[in-house]
Amino acid sequence: MAMAMVQHRESSSGSINKHLADGKYVRYTAEQVEALERVYLECPKPSSLRRQQLIRECPILSNIEPKQIKVWFQNRRCREKQRKESSRLQTVNRKLSAMNKLLMEENDRLQKQVSQLVCENGYMRQQLHTPSAATDASCDSVVTTPQHSLRDANNPAGLLSIAEETLAEFLSKATGTAVDWVQMPGMKPGPESVGIFAISQSCTGVAARACGLVSLEPTKITEILKDRLSWFRDCRSLEVFTMFPAGNGGTIELVYSQIYAPTTLAPARDFWTLRYTTSLENGSLVVCERSLSGSGAGPNAAAAAQFVRAEMLPSGYLIRPCDGGGSIIHIVDHLNLEAWSVPEVLRPLYESSKVIAQKMTIAALRYIRQIAQETSGEVVYGLGRQPAVLRTFSQRLNRGFNDAINGFNDDGWSLMSCDGAEDVIVTINSTKNLSSTSNAANSLAYLGGILCAKASMLLQNVPPAVLVRFLREHRSEWADFNVDAYSAASLKACSYAFPGMRPTRFTGSQIIMPLGHTIEHEELLEVIRLEGHSLAQEDAFVSRDIHLLQICSGIDENAVGACAELVFAPIDEMFPDDAPLLPSGFRVIPLDSKIKDTQDALNSSRTLDLTSSLEVGPATNNSAGDGSSSHSSRSVLTIAFQFPFESNLQDNVATMARQYVRSVISSVQRVAMAISPSGVGPALGPKLSPGSPEALTLAHWIYQSYSYHLGAELLRSDSLAEDSILKQLWHHQDAILCCSLKSLPVFIFANQAGLDMLETTLVALQDITLDKIFDESGRKALCADFAKLMQQGFAYLPGGICMSTMGRHVSYDQSVAWKVLAADETTVHCLAFSFINWSFV
């Protein structure tokens, strides 16, 4: 039996191969192999013509047949594939070995913790039988840790003593049982996971721990983690005031740092800490840190009043070199954020270890892994941008948004006078520099400054990820593209100015162009293009598109405890690396659902304005409250929009900004009601078309409620079919408008006459609030009869003047208002108004 066989033999130098062709062995010389290798590097799979050309161009291959060369390339590709697969398996094996070592260490720690708990249980049993015994004073070191004063750090010896004590306490948390760690819900360890995550179960303050494998050297990791500004998005500043050398080549530093407040409803935090960097006998690197008590106010004592001094208990990083390359890293974050200083409804943000884990601990490990993959070339970004450049844009967007929310005095922000309602806070900054360094000739020196309108509110039963994802994908449902055009035009330092912008028509569509994302897709960076066309004939061929740089995070519904953000800023279409950015956007932070609500935090609304009702002080007893609300899902939504302005237009832009943010709030309320799993009444979509089933149902309710309350027929129809009612309602001569029954009523439906009177469309109708159409006398008349309206179900309002969206005055002889009841005839769905004999003045 004969079989065709191919054999490969390489000499000790690897330069000779054997191939079988037509029953004969073929030997390749070193020169022939070198020539073939050169071609292989250029083209691993050459065509038949390329192989023939190779034989003609290389005389040393003239005695080799094309078929034999084809076999050589096949074998070469096979060897390359085997080498890559072997390398990949070795990498996976190293990772699994390191992860196995990590899990074994975690198992040993848990066994020690179990033993300690068994001993404590036996001790407690003994105490129960000996009531006169002294109270147990053997609680973990976290509770009894003394806080060292700045006065203790006047000399290197005192600093070293504090540093060594901090090191011991940190290691006992990172690898010991000083803290009762429990696995963070939803974060399970495994070969493909980021790492092992745990949170404190019971200790002073809030604490989180992470450990994982990273393919970077310990010194590089130490350098990254010490630069907290690069990866901790809430870190505003970090300044090293003093540095002393320590043993083992280590250093001791006195550090002052500041972190942003996540909402407009709480003050920011600052820290005075001692940071100790050293190496252990086993080659591991350690960076540990703890707070020092004292009255140091940082570099700007005048701005210290905007901060609350928080405490960092022994925390830090343990970085151990791993066999085969890379490092095993342990991270511990342990803070006391002084929750007493924030409104009680927000205290879950400052008392939750999950929040610290997501913001600091997990973020640090993810950032290091991101850098490691970028260094190895595993991450590829779009539009030819370098990862470091895109990361810088992402950091600038987040920092600018945080600056707008906090409005620090030392940044130049000051509070403008409010209009009394105080639902929207307006701050102004006349020192902000937005000019591009590469285009100094077109700097924004003519601008008077930056104005920010912001607000915070409580959302009930609205998933943050779902809400932010909707806001990202359906921008036209809440945004006014003309306002975007104003901001974009102002940043271009051209002749546009509010309110005399060039007329532009926007299609309402957006094109999302991805730029990059983090390794777990928890953060997306993209460019948004809003399509627009000029209405002026002379600009017919000029592009009026708007470009926005946008970052979106937290839209994964499976993420544990993470906040969701949508932050954007207008940019020039050329998108230079040093483009000025003016971020605006939304932040939705989930609250712990098991924390009871304060009595001031809830009412019948789905969303409420917190700024006018929350007080800061000690915790109150809510045991008498409604227990059913303690398990509801709540979150805090913060909105901030920034606008550039010229000095002579400051008041106009302030008015526009306040009204715009209120309209955005109204739109978000409508969206929140629609996506809420437990929304009241039928969910009217963002667009209520005349032929939709929702419109048919609403028309039937309007008709029935009018007949029920006023004892009259609104429509003269012999048929009560819903489609007939809707048709007659739609073409009725009187303007009929329906608005939501909320603290800030918005219109949800209007017939054709109502749309004509307001000079708007069904899409734009839902951005109009009730107070915008009535003049002062009309609002007073409505307020005077509102109680009567809610009691008897209807009210007749006198004739007057109202306003269209185009600013034109509309007169009407009389207006009838009535409650529109839902199908059960007990629930009020909305309010309806009929304007009789209306006409433009």
Side-chain angles (χ1 to χ4, degrees):
M1 181 176 63
M3 295 183 64
M5 300 179 61
V6 180
Q7 298 181 359
H8 309 283
R9 293 184 181 177
E10 296 183 1
S11 65
S12 58
S13 62
S15 61
I16 300 176
N17 294 330
K18 285 188 175 182
H19 293 275
L20 182 64
D22 297 331
K24 296 182 180 180
Y25 288 103
V26 178
R27 291 181 179 274
Y28 293 90
T29 65
E31 292 78 8
Q32 289 174 331
V33 172
E34 183 179 356
L36 291 172
E37 286 287 351
R38 284 197 302 267
V39 176
Y40 181 83
L41 293 176
E42 297 176 1
C43 180
K45 194 174 183 179
S47 63
S48 176
L49 294 177
R50 181 70 180 89
R51 292 194 299 269
Q52 293 176 3
Q53 181 184 2
L54 175 62
I55 295 175
R56 290 194 301 268
E57 293 177 351
C58 297
I60 59 176
L61 299 175
S62 59
N63 63 328
I64 310 296
E65 296 182 2
K67 183 178 181 180
Q68 295 169 339
I69 292 181
K70 178 181 180 181
V71 172
W72 186 93
F73 275 98
Q74 289 175 344
N75 293 334
R76 181 66 177 82
R77 290 194 300 270
C78 183
R79 291 196 302 273
E80 182 71 19
K81 183 177 181 181
Q82 289 175 347
R83 275 198 295 267
K84 290 182 178 179
E85 181 65 14
S86 176
S87 177
R88 188 188 69 83
L89 292 176
Q90 290 177 3
T91 302
V92 172
N93 183 61
R94 287 197 301 269
K95 180 178 180 180
L96 291 175
S97 298
M99 187 62 69
N100 181 63
K101 181 180 180 181
L102 205 59
L103 291 173
M104 291 177 63
E105 292 175 353
E106 181 70 6
N107 184 58
D108 292 340
R109 189 195 64 80
L110 291 174
Q111 289 181 352
K112 292 179 182 177
Q113 185 174 346
V114 169
S115 300
Q116 181 176 332
L117 291 175
V118 170
C119 293
E120 290 179 359
N121 184 49
Y123 182 79
M124 293 301 296
R125 288 177 179 272
Q126 182 181 357
Q127 291 295 310
L128 290 175
H129 294 288
T130 313
S132 59
T135 305
D136 180 18
S138 60
C139 56
D140 59 49
S141 61
V142 176
V143 178
T144 59
T145 297
Q147 189 182 50
H148 297 278
S149 170
L150 286 172
R151 292 188 296 271
D152 299 332
N154 290 331
N155 58 80
L159 286 173
L160 184 59
S161 175
I162 299 173
E164 292 294 341
E165 182 180 338
T166 303
L167 174 63
E169 294 187 28
F170 159 69
L171 291 177
S172 68
K173 297 177 185 179
T175 59
T177 59
V179 172
D180 186 7
W181 299 112
V182 295
Q183 181 176 298
M184 186 170 177
M187 306 292 287
K188 296 182 179 180
E192 299 303 324
S193 66
V194 179
I196 303 172
F197 303 102
I199 56 177
S200 60
Q201 188 173 23
S202 58
C203 69
T204 300
V206 290
R209 186 178 73 105
C211 44
L213 176 66
V214 181
S215 57
L216 287 177
E217 296 303 315
T219 53
K220 179 64 175 177
I221 295 175
T222 303
E223 177 185 343
I224 294 173
L225 290 175
K226 291 181 72 173
D227 183 16
R228 197 172 296 155
L229 282 168
S230 65
W231 58 266
F232 184 25
R233 295 297 173 82
D234 284 352
C235 184
R236 184 198 181 210
S237 66
L238 187 147
E239 185 172 350
V240 178
F241 275 80
T242 309
M243 179 183 295
F244 295 95
N248 299 325
T251 58
I252 297 175
E253 302 162 297
L254 295 184
V255 179
Y256 176 74
S257 58
Q258 299 173 341
I259 62 174
Y260 292 104
T263 76
T264 61
L265 307 174
R269 265 55 180 166
D270 65 351
F271 298 85
W272 265 111
T273 57
L274 178 145
R275 187 166 66 184
Y276 181 33
T277 304
T278 187
S279 57
L280 304 181
E281 294 181 355
N282 60 4
S284 301
L285 290 179
V286 177
V287 180
C288 55
E289 193 170 356
R290 79 175 315 150
S291 282
L292 298 173
S293 65
S295 58
N300 190 343
Q306 290 187 275
F307 295 89
V308 170
R309 178 61 46 83
E311 179 186 4
M312 179 183 293
L313 290 90
S315 307
Y317 320 106
L318 169 63
I319 307 156
R320 299 182 297 171
C322 187
D323 296 337
S327 307
I328 295 177
I329 178 173
H330 296 256
I331 303 176
V332 173
D333 293 304
H334 193 175
L335 306 175
N336 180 3
L337 296 174
E338 306 295 341
W340 61 267
S341 62
V342 301
E344 187 172 353
V345 71
L346 294 181
R347 288 179 190 174
L349 298 180
Y350 295 82
E351 296 174 340
S352 170
S353 294
K354 295 179 185 177
V355 175
I356 292 299
Q358 285 287 349
K359 284 189 173 184
M360 294 187 66
T361 320
I362 299 176
L365 193 53
R366 280 175 171 165
Y367 184 82
I368 297 172
R369 294 187 71 233
Q370 180 79 24
I371 297 296
Q373 293 202 7
E374 291 176 0
T375 303
S376 64
E378 299 178 44
V379 181
V380 179
Y381 289 96
L383 300 184
R385 296 282 177 172
Q386 293 296 321
V389 175
L390 297 180
R391 195 163 54 246
T392 300
F393 274 120
S394 175
Q395 292 168 351
R396 289 176 58 195
L397 283 173
N398 277 277
R399 183 170 298 277
F401 187 59
N402 276 321
D403 283 334
I405 290 175
N406 285 260
F408 292 113
N409 295 334
D410 55 342
D411 280 342
W413 291 99
S414 59
L415 186 67
M416 289 189 68
S417 57
C418 300
D419 60 354
E422 296 187 1
D423 56 332
V424 176
I425 302 172
V426 179
T427 56
I428 187 172
N429 191 331
S430 300
T431 63
K432 196 83 168 180
N433 182 17
L434 294 173
S435 59
S436 172
T437 57
S438 64
N439 192 14
N442 290 330
S443 66
L444 304 182
Y446 80 97
L447 286 175
I450 306 301
L451 188 142
C452 178
K454 51 192 175 182
S456 294
M457 55 186 174
L458 186 68
L459 299 178
Q460 189 78 15
N461 294 330
V462 179
V466 177
L467 176 59
V468 170
R469 190 164 60 241
F470 183 92
L471 297 176
R472 170 180 176 262
E473 298 173 356
H474 303 278
R475 186 179 183 87
S476 61
E477 300 296 344
W478 57 266
D480 186 341
F481 291 170
N482 288 306
V483 174
D484 293 324
Y486 162 69
S487 297
S490 297
L491 288 176
K492 291 181 180 179
C494 61
S495 59
Y496 297 93
F498 179 85
M501 294 181 295
R502 296 186 180 182
T504 303
R505 178 175 60 86
F506 292 95
T507 62
S509 63
Q510 66 174 1
I511 299 175
I512 299 179
M513 297 174 284
L515 284 180
H517 55 77
T518 50
I519 54 179
E520 295 185 17
H521 290 78
E522 72 272 7
E523 185 175 278
L524 308 174
L525 184 67
E526 51 204 13
V527 171
I528 309 298
R529 189 177 76 193
L530 309 176
E531 297 181 327
H533 306 283
S534 177
L535 296 179
Q537 185 175 1
E538 62 272 16
D539 295 336
F541 299 100
V542 178
S543 173
R544 309 304 300 157
D545 294 348
I546 301 171
H547 293 81
L548 305 171
L549 181 64
Q550 178 170 282
I551 186 172
C552 183
S553 61
I555 58 176
D556 181 7
E557 295 181 58
N558 297 321
V560 181
C563 74
E565 287 186 344
L566 182 69
V567 180
F568 49 87
I571 58 170
D572 187 86
E573 58 186 9
M574 299 305 295
F575 191 13
D577 291 348
D578 58 350
L581 297 179
L582 202 62
S584 303
F586 308 86
R587 173 179 294 159
V588 190
I589 310 175
L591 297 174
D592 190 347
S593 59
K594 294 183 179 180
I595 301 297
K596 288 188 177 182
D597 303 333
T598 60
Q599 296 182 1
D600 293 335
L602 283 182
N603 57 28
S604 59
S605 301
R606 186 67 48 195
T607 56
L608 10 143
D609 176 20
L610 299 183
T611 55
S612 60
S613 61
L614 297 179
E615 295 180 357
V616 173
T620 57
N621 185 3
N622 296 318
S623 59
D626 184 6
S628 63
S629 64
S630 61
H631 299 283
S632 60
S633 173
R634 296 181 301 161
S635 54
V636 175
L637 168 65
T638 299
I639 301 175
F641 281 81
Q642 298 190 74
F643 304 92
F645 65 89
E646 294 185 33
S647 299
N648 60 330
L649 296 172
Q650 173 180 322
D651 293 338
N652 290 338
V653 175
T655 301
M656 180 271 291
R658 187 178 286 110
Q659 293 176 349
Y660 181 59
V661 169
R662 284 175 179 163
S663 70
V664 171
I665 291 174
S666 177
S667 299
V668 172
Q669 287 176 328
R670 186 176 68 251
V671 171
M673 176 68 76
I675 66 177
S676 173
S678 59
V680 179
L684 298 178
K687 296 181 180 179
L688 190 61
S689 60
S692 64
E694 292 86 356
L696 293 173
T697 302
L698 182 56
H700 182 75
W701 290 351
I702 294 172
Y703 172 77
Q704 294 287 4
S705 298
Y706 189 90
S707 302
Y708 175 78
H709 289 301
L710 283 83
E713 294 292 332
L714 176 66
L715 307 174
R716 297 177 181 176
S717 173
D718 297 332
S719 173
L720 292 179
E722 288 184 350
D723 55 349
S724 177
I725 292 176
L726 176 61
K727 184 177 180 180
Q728 292 199 39
L729 182 70
W730 183 256
H731 296 290
H732 200 276
Q733 62 182 359
D734 295 334
I736 300 175
L737 308 173
C738 296
C739 70
S740 60
L741 193 60
K742 297 180 179 180
S743 58
L744 188 64
V746 296
F747 289 106
I748 59 175
F749 183 76
N751 66 351
Q752 185 61 63
L755 297 177
D756 293 341
M757 185 185 78
L758 295 181
E759 296 185 292
T760 187
T761 63
L762 275 175
V763 175
L765 175 70
Q766 298 172 23
D767 291 329
I768 305 172
T769 56
L770 182 63
D771 62 316
K772 288 184 179 180
I773 68 168
F774 284 106
D775 59 6
E776 185 176 357
S777 60
R779 286 192 292 268
K780 289 181 178 179
L782 178 60
C783 291
D785 290 339
F786 188 77
K788 177 181 178 182
L789 167 63
M790 299 305 296
Q791 182 177 6
Q792 70 179 19
F794 68 94
Y796 290 98
L797 305 178
I801 300 293
C802 63
M803 189 79 66
S804 76
T805 58
M806 303 300 291
R808 291 207 290 174
H809 291 84
V810 181
S811 67
Y812 56 93
D813 292 346
Q814 189 183 42
S815 177
V816 183
W818 70 98
K819 293 190 298 186
V820 176
L821 303 178
D824 57 8
E825 297 186 357
T826 58
T827 303
V828 179
H829 179 70
C830 62
L831 296 180
F833 295 86
S834 176
F835 294 89
I836 302 172
N837 294 331
W838 67 273
S839 62
F840 291 108
V841 178

